[in-house]
Amino acid sequence: MEESDRVARRWEDLDIDILVKIFQSFDIVELTSGIATVCTSWRMACCDPLLWRTLDLSMMKSNFIKIPLEPYVYVDARSDKTLNHLLKTSLSLSQGNIMTLIFHFNLYVSDDLLTYTAERCPRLRRLVMPAWNRIKKTGICKAIRIWQDLESLTMPSIANPPYLLEEIANNCKNFSELKVMGPFDNFFAATIITYLPKVRVLSLRCSMLVKDTLISILDELRNLEVLNISHCLLIEIPPPPAPRRIMRELDQCILDKASRLREFLTCMKDSCIMCQRTRNDEGLMRWYKYEEGVWKADEVSSLSL
């Protein structure tokens, strides 16, 4: 074949579906690195909904130091700049198609950035929250009002849960899954019972849990189908002056009440590494001490990342 007879195909002439298939192998940093600016067809491919059903930022952690005053952390400006660029570029390319949004628990997102995010992914169904430190009540409540399709929430524990769970109850009619990472007390349980009585899946893995709180959940959440208390530090508090004690196994009362559930996930083995870690951390898991990504696990398949 003579040189003049050859027809050279340009990258921008590739079929959009082929480009999308190629871009599906890219991570979020590569997708937002500027390939959308190469040409019109590449930008069209970069905006394909197939690439943006899930925005996973679980690899991003803030560079921060702890401080004695609110918000109790100081985040390095370069760290904030990197997050702002990556998140805003992703939201622009996604064109409102993100349905699952995953933050790292050690990512300190500002209130303004959370609101900006909510406004640009209104169809969100699943959210894995970042740390609370820089998120105010007004910011998360505004976001929840936008996320009316929200069905599943993984969140760090919070000292005052009523305002958040009431907002979910009022705006997210299909909400069904909740995972709490951190301390879970009687007040938190009572708040769920009050505002989210129809929740079907609840994960409290690797938390401190009082026996009476567990019984309240089993008695009052009548729509609950799946409960995960794997690796929890289960505490029994008898009447004074008897001291509280750590339960090494579930008693028959709890097992009977849990028998109505479709799944009751437990692990209290002395040989289990995660159970050992929860006990060593006294029910407040210090995830930063352990291998990267272990915090993403959950025995409930729909909540595992």
Side-chain angles (χ1 to χ4, degrees):
M1 181 181 294
E2 294 182 6
E3 189 71 25
S4 59
D5 294 331
R6 292 178 181 171
V7 178
R9 292 196 66 188
R10 298 176 300 175
W11 276 100
E12 58 265 37
D13 294 332
L14 271 179
D15 185 85
I16 294 292
D17 292 338
I18 295 176
L19 283 171
V20 171
K21 192 70 175 177
I22 293 171
F23 292 164
Q24 281 180 308
S25 67
F26 290 9
D27 63 29
I28 187 63
V29 175
E30 292 167 333
L31 273 177
T32 57
S33 63
I35 60 174
T37 63
V38 170
C39 62
T40 302
S41 60
W42 280 38
R43 181 168 183 84
M44 287 176 61
C46 282
C47 294
D48 192 283
L50 284 174
L51 300 177
W52 297 106
R53 289 174 180 167
T54 297
L55 177 55
D56 186 352
L57 301 178
S58 63
M59 83 299 292
M60 291 197 68
K61 295 183 287 185
S62 296
N63 184 18
F64 70 96
I65 58 172
K66 293 184 178 180
I67 58 175
L69 302 175
E70 288 190 11
Y72 305 112
V73 292
Y74 172 80
V75 180
D76 177 70
R78 288 174 296 179
S79 183
D80 266 347
K81 185 177 180 180
T82 299
L83 173 61
N84 270 269
H85 170 75
L86 192 148
L87 186 51
K88 289 184 176 182
T89 302
S90 298
L91 293 170
S92 174
L93 294 173
S94 69
Q95 299 184 342
N97 287 303
I98 296 170
M99 294 188 178
T100 297
L101 178 58
I102 303 169
F103 290 109
H104 193 282
F105 71 93
N106 254 353
L107 188 66
Y108 294 94
V109 177
S110 70
D111 213 42
D112 290 342
L113 190 57
L114 183 69
T115 300
Y116 181 94
T117 301
E119 291 170 344
R120 285 157 181 80
C121 53
R123 300 168 60 199
L124 198 69
R125 294 184 181 177
R126 183 183 182 191
L127 173 64
V128 178
M129 284 282 296
W132 283 111
N133 298 59
R134 301 169 75 192
I135 298 174
K136 300 181 178 67
K137 176 180 177 179
T138 51
I140 187 60
C141 287
K142 183 175 181 180
I144 294 297
R145 292 184 198 116
I146 295 170
W147 288 326
Q148 296 190 6
D149 293 331
L150 191 68
E151 299 173 2
S152 175
L153 175 64
T154 296
M155 57 177 281
S157 189
I158 186 172
N160 184 28
Y163 76 82
L164 173 62
L165 299 194
E166 183 178 10
E167 206 67 57
I168 292 173
N170 290 337
N171 293 281
C172 310
K173 302 308 179 184
N174 296 320
F175 190 83
S176 62
E177 288 187 342
L178 178 63
K179 177 177 179 178
V180 181
M181 297 178 64
F184 187 85
D185 56 16
N186 287 324
F187 180 49
F188 209 135
T191 304
I192 294 175
I193 291 166
T194 299
Y195 293 111
L196 301 176
K198 295 182 179 180
V199 69
R200 295 198 299 271
V201 178
L202 179 62
S203 178
L204 307 172
R205 73 187 306 269
C206 301
S207 301
M208 180 186 290
L209 186 59
V210 174
K211 177 184 176 181
D212 289 345
T213 302
L214 175 57
I215 290 174
S216 294
I217 291 169
L218 293 170
D219 283 344
E220 303 296 334
L221 293 178
R222 302 308 300 175
N223 290 281
L224 194 65
E225 298 176 9
V226 178
L227 175 60
N228 185 12
I229 61 166
S230 298
H231 324 301
C232 279
L233 185 64
L234 191 58
I235 304 294
E236 184 174 22
I237 305 178
R244 71 179 192 173
R245 70 178 187 89
I246 297 174
M247 296 178 64
R248 297 293 180 175
E249 60 182 8
L250 298 173
D251 60 29
Q252 195 58 45
C253 170
I254 292 173
L255 294 173
D256 289 343
K257 290 177 182 293
S259 62
R260 67 176 179 83
L261 300 176
R262 177 164 55 84
E263 286 187 273
F264 183 43
L265 301 162
T266 68
C267 180
M268 303 173 71
K269 299 175 183 176
D270 289 336
S271 59
C272 172
I273 292 176
M274 292 308 298
C275 288
Q276 292 172 15
R277 289 172 173 176
T278 306
R279 291 170 191 161
N280 291 339
D281 289 346
E282 299 179 329
L284 179 57
M285 288 293 284
R286 293 166 176 82
W287 295 106
Y288 61 85
K289 297 195 305 184
Y290 307 120
E291 55 268 31
E292 182 60 39
V294 69
W295 66 274
K296 299 180 184 181
D298 200 288
E299 289 71 22
V300 180
S301 58
S302 62
L303 290 172
S304 185
L305 303 177

